[in-house]
């Protein structure tokens, strides 16, 4: 992972919000996907959708 991705995932795991301003193809989506997958592994009740 790029440094901005690692830092982004770390901040999300701490419960913080992020605003990422980076060029196309720099891995912004991977930050969210990595966070979501980690949370799904930690908490079976984690959901990315508000129901």
């Amino acid at each position: 992972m790029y440094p901005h991705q690692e830092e982004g995932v770390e901040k999300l795991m701490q419960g913080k919000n992020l605003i990422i301003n980076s060029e196309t193809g720099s891995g912004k989506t991977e930050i969210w996907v990595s966070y979501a997958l980690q949370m799904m592994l930690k908490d079976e009740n984690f959901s990315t959708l508000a129901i």
Side-chain angles (χ1 to χ4, degrees):
M1 291 183 92
Y2 292 114
H4 71 278
Q5 291 172 313
E6 291 178 1
E7 184 178 354
V9 172
E10 180 181 318
K11 298 293 182 190
L12 289 172
M13 294 299 289
Q14 294 171 1
K16 297 183 178 178
N17 296 319
L18 304 196
I19 295 176
I20 300 168
N21 183 15
S22 187
E23 294 187 25
T24 301
S26 64
K28 295 179 294 288
T29 302
E30 286 79 359
I31 295 170
W32 167 247
V33 171
S34 294
Y35 165 72
L37 290 173
Q38 285 185 43
M39 290 302 295
M40 286 178 190
L41 290 172
K42 283 179 70 173
D43 180 2
E44 65 186 39
N45 294 317
F46 176 78
S47 175
T48 59
L49 301 174
I51 298 175

